[in-house]
Amino acid sequence: MKILVTGGLGYIGSHTVVELLEKGHEVVIIDNLYNSQKATHDKITAITHKPSTFVKMDATNYEGLKQLCKKHQFDGIIHFAGYKAVGESVAKPLMYYYNNLLSTITLARVAIEEGINKFIFSSSATVYGDGVSPLNEEAPLMERTNPYGETKAMSERILTDVAKANPTLNVILLRYFNPVGAHKSGLIGEVPNGTPNNLMPYITQVAKGLRDKLYIFGNDYPTIDGTGVRDYIHVVDLAKGHVAALEANKTGVNIYNLGTGKGTSVLELVNAFMSVNKVNIPYEITSRRAGDIATCYANVNKAKKELKWEAKYNVEDMVKDA
Ligand code: WQD
């Protein structure tokens, strides 16, 4: 299939482009390079030895997208492009609503006008808010969260309504749990701007000596050791989940959790990182981070059954590849 990948040079996008190319799909990447590097395109080529096209373009650029679609006749769109920092979204809500919603709206409009009938959207387990784990796809969407999370929930609703009104458009909403790790080549991975918000990139920066120590946000949660529990998933497994979703030929609107179904605490992850990589990660327990929940992990039965996909990598693989 010929696929338009928005945000294809970002962390999850680049790993997905690699998996698409490895499976013989044709890929055109658009990315505005806000939080990614053009050199990533060459690295994707170095890994796969397969050509792909990169166009520097914003996913809100209606005219540009129309031209691109007329030129390429895509079979599907995988939409990754978006701002993703929770804290920044609280400080700059308009920037988040404008960009993340306008890109979804514009791409859906172009998909309908140009007869592209597969649309895969990057959603997040964040839409479940403080729901009870294991979370399945029927769990109610959270009431209110931060603007970043709202843009994910709103994009889901927009795409659902648009697909209902346009039966030729088939939408798959993929709810990611906590993607970590990197491609085995070491050529692509997560390169956060400034101080990392997420746990794994913070740990790797401490391991590299870029930061003195890790701050663990709370050890008084009702979990196995008091630290927060999450469902970490290797980014390569996550990328393969997109290819499975694309090839599954589902119609209408379908929602899938992409996780491992297993919860791991912050301390378990840090300890695994230290023992697998034989490196010390000094840490200090501090107070809870505002907005954090105790536990979040997926029920992954639906993706297993309907997409014939499941995560293969374990926590040891994740910390090694990170
Ligand atoms: C994991 C655990 C922290 C950093 C967030 C967003 C979500 C999604 C992914 C975005 C928690 C603890 C973290 C640190 C710590 N979206 N922690 N010290 O909070 O599950 O999800 O990122 O792209 O929308 O909410 O992931 O990696 O930030 O935290 O102790 O320096 O690690 O408290 O328990 P989270 P995370």
Side-chain angles (χ1 to χ4, degrees):
M1 280 181 264
K2 192 164 194 180
I3 308 301
L4 172 65
V5 180
T6 77
L9 299 185
Y11 175 44
I12 304 172
S14 60
H15 286 84
T16 302
V17 171
V18 166
E19 298 304 319
L20 287 167
L21 293 172
E22 307 273 21
K23 291 277 314 266
H25 296 290
E26 277 180 77
V27 178
V28 175
I29 298 166
I30 64 160
D31 197 303
N32 68 3
L33 303 178
Y34 173 80
N35 196 14
S36 58
Q37 291 78 37
K38 192 168 177 292
T40 299
H41 187 225
D42 300 329
K43 293 174 182 174
I44 291 170
T45 313
I47 292 168
T48 59
H49 303 289
K50 296 201 171 122
S52 58
T53 303
F54 165 63
V55 179
K56 183 172 184 288
M57 188 187 290
D58 199 282
T60 61
N61 179 351
Y62 173 75
E63 295 300 335
L65 286 165
K66 286 286 276 191
Q67 275 180 18
L68 203 64
C69 291
K70 293 215 183 297
K71 184 170 169 194
H72 290 284
Q73 307 286 315
F74 296 112
D75 300 296
I77 296 175
I78 307 183
H79 177 32
F80 291 102
Y83 297 142
K84 61 170 189 175
V86 173
E88 184 183 53
S89 80
V90 176
K92 300 177 181 170
L94 265 186
M95 173 175 141
Y96 273 68
Y97 286 118
Y98 185 88
N99 181 71
N100 290 7
L101 297 182
L102 192 57
S103 58
T104 298
I105 291 166
T106 305
L107 285 159
R109 180 179 170 201
V110 169
I112 289 162
E113 289 174 358
E114 300 301 320
I116 302 168
N117 54 25
K118 285 172 183 281
F119 195 112
I120 299 181
F121 176 65
S122 289
S123 190
S124 167
T126 204
V127 302
Y128 294 122
D130 199 3
V132 179
S133 295
L135 293 151
N136 70 45
E137 292 83 352
E138 257 75 79
L141 297 193
M142 83 268 147
E143 284 281 302
R144 290 285 304 165
T145 169
N146 51 76
Y148 161 77
E150 288 289 311
T151 67
K152 291 296 179 190
M154 287 180 183
S155 288
E156 284 201 2
R157 292 187 179 114
I158 291 167
L159 290 170
T160 301
D161 291 344
V162 171
K164 271 188 202 150
N166 298 273
T168 54
L169 186 71
N170 303 305
V171 168
I172 296 190
L173 308 172
L174 297 177
R175 294 180 179 157
Y176 311 155
F177 282 69
N178 290 56
V180 295
H183 189 266
K184 289 240 177 292
S185 63
L187 288 175
I188 55 175
E190 192 170 12
V191 190
N193 277 336
T195 309
N197 299 301
N198 298 116
L199 180 59
M200 189 66 98
Y202 207 104
I203 294 175
T204 53
Q205 293 202 358
V206 174
K208 272 183 87 176
L210 297 174
R211 299 185 187 276
D212 292 344
K213 59 182 164 186
L214 169 72
Y215 296 93
I216 294 181
F217 302 141
N219 66 350
D220 57 353
Y221 285 105
T223 61
I224 177 169
D225 54 25
T227 64
V229 166
R230 296 290 183 274
D231 186 341
Y232 297 96
I233 174 168
H234 197 297
V235 66
V236 171
D237 275 331
L238 190 75
K240 289 178 195 284
H242 291 74
V243 181
L246 185 72
E247 293 175 348
N249 274 324
K250 304 294 292 182
T251 55
V253 180
N254 288 275
I255 307 178
Y256 299 99
N257 285 338
L258 295 185
T260 64
K262 292 188 195 77
T264 302
S265 75
V266 176
L267 274 175
E268 286 173 330
L269 192 75
V270 173
N271 287 328
F273 192 98
M274 291 199 278
S275 74
V276 169
N277 295 314
K278 305 200 171 24
V279 57
N280 187 38
I281 303 293
Y283 64 80
E284 183 183 324
I285 309 283
T286 58
S287 50
R288 292 181 178 193
R289 179 172 67 180
D292 270 357
I293 56 174
T295 300
C296 178
Y297 60 93
N299 174 325
V300 290
N301 292 340
K302 193 175 173 205
K304 259 189 216 171
K305 191 166 155 236
E306 296 186 17
L307 303 180
K308 314 273 180 279
W309 167 91
E310 69 182 298
K312 296 270 185 300
Y313 294 108
N314 62 25
V315 167
E316 281 68 35
D317 301 316
M318 296 179 211
V319 295
K320 181 163 167 273
D321 294 343

